Amino acid sequence: MSDVQSATGSTAAIKLEWNAGLMQGAQVQESAKKIGDLENLFRDRDAWAGIDPAQEVYRVRWWAPVPAGSEGGLFWGVTVLQPGKVGNEFFMTQGHIHANQTRAEFYTTVSGKGLLLQMDRERNTLAEQMTTGSLHYIHGQNAHRVVNVGDSPLIFWACWGSDAGYDYATIRERGFSAIIIEQDASPMIVHRS
Ligand code: PAN
Ligand code: ZN
């Protein structure tokens, strides 16, 4: 045991509740995004303004065992994305590109029904279905966003590089080349430039 105790590493006790999307432990961090935090994300500004700004859209819990920016480390987290719409556009994450575009990421879904949008540098968009047990590999240079197209929380776990970083500005400025709306009670992809 003495070899193990002297090895480099973290002694953090983190407990996961897979299906609830919960992580517990002193080092777990948490961040929530509410409607009021997401101005200009959704297409229908009037519909956005009509929703309670305190309404939660999604919440991320994660463990960073090494400082952000450390080369070669890993982060682990979970996102709980609520069901809902702004106008006819489904609730979604902001979406980002990793600041270090060589850094890939895994997502895996435990419950709910969603779409993972990945957009490459030429703005080609790929939409993958997220359902219980689906596993998704996000290429390092692809922007990624998740859309909840179901009527229950969409819960997915993720593992990404500690030196991946986040570029939100690119998506904030131009958005994705596809949005997901509800039409005739079904999700529909609408392509844009
Ligand atoms: C995820 C996302 C999380 C929230 O952990 O950060 O789902 O989405 P936004 O960051 O786009 O708001 C991830 O992709 N990390 O790299
Ligand atoms: Zn990411």
Side-chain angles (χ1 to χ4, degrees):
M1 283 306 283
S2 59
D3 286 341
V4 172
Q5 283 164 354
S6 62
T8 300
S10 170
T11 55
I14 309 278
K15 283 272 178 239
L16 310 186
E17 286 182 44
W18 290 101
N19 293 329
L22 286 171
M23 292 178 74
Q24 266 141 20
Q27 292 184 17
V28 174
Q29 301 181 62
E30 186 164 341
S31 150
K33 286 278 179 278
K34 302 183 166 74
I35 280 287
D37 301 320
L38 300 172
E39 190 172 6
N40 299 330
L41 183 66
F42 297 95
R43 184 171 68 163
D44 187 337
R45 304 285 157 84
D46 292 340
W48 173 82
I51 302 175
D52 178 358
Q55 155 88 52
E56 182 168 315
V57 180
Y58 61 100
R59 182 172 290 262
V60 186
R61 298 181 177 90
W62 74 99
W63 178 36
V66 293
S70 305
E71 191 178 337
L74 292 171
F75 289 170
W76 177 260
V78 64
T79 302
V80 179
L81 174 56
Q82 297 301 323
K85 280 175 291 179
V86 176
N88 60 6
E89 192 175 5
F90 292 101
F91 277 8
M92 60 188 176
T93 60
Q94 291 179 95
H96 60 269
I97 311 172
H98 291 161
N100 179 339
Q101 295 191 6
T102 68
R103 295 299 185 258
E105 180 163 12
F106 274 124
Y107 281 0
T108 184
T109 317
V110 294
S111 61
K113 199 173 148 214
L115 287 175
L116 167 61
L117 300 179
Q118 293 195 58
M119 181 177 72
D120 69 16
R121 289 177 180 158
E122 283 73 47
R123 298 183 61 76
N124 301 306
T125 299
L126 170 76
E128 285 179 279
Q129 304 224 22
M130 298 176 78
T131 54
T132 302
S134 64
L135 177 63
H136 308 273
Y137 180 77
I138 298 164
H139 195 280
Q141 66 181 34
N142 284 353
H144 41 290
R145 160 178 289 165
V146 171
V147 185
N148 186 342
V149 298
D151 50 19
S152 61
L154 175 66
I155 303 179
F156 61 96
W157 292 84
C159 183
W160 67 102
S162 51
D163 53 352
Y166 302 92
D167 167 9
Y168 287 103
T170 303
I171 296 302
R172 206 177 295 126
E173 281 155 23
R174 263 195 90 186
F176 270 64
S177 54
I179 62 168
I180 311 296
I181 63 165
E182 186 177 59
Q183 187 160 313
D184 302 327
S186 294
M188 187 177 85
I189 300 186
V190 177
H191 292 279
R192 317 192 301 174
S193 58

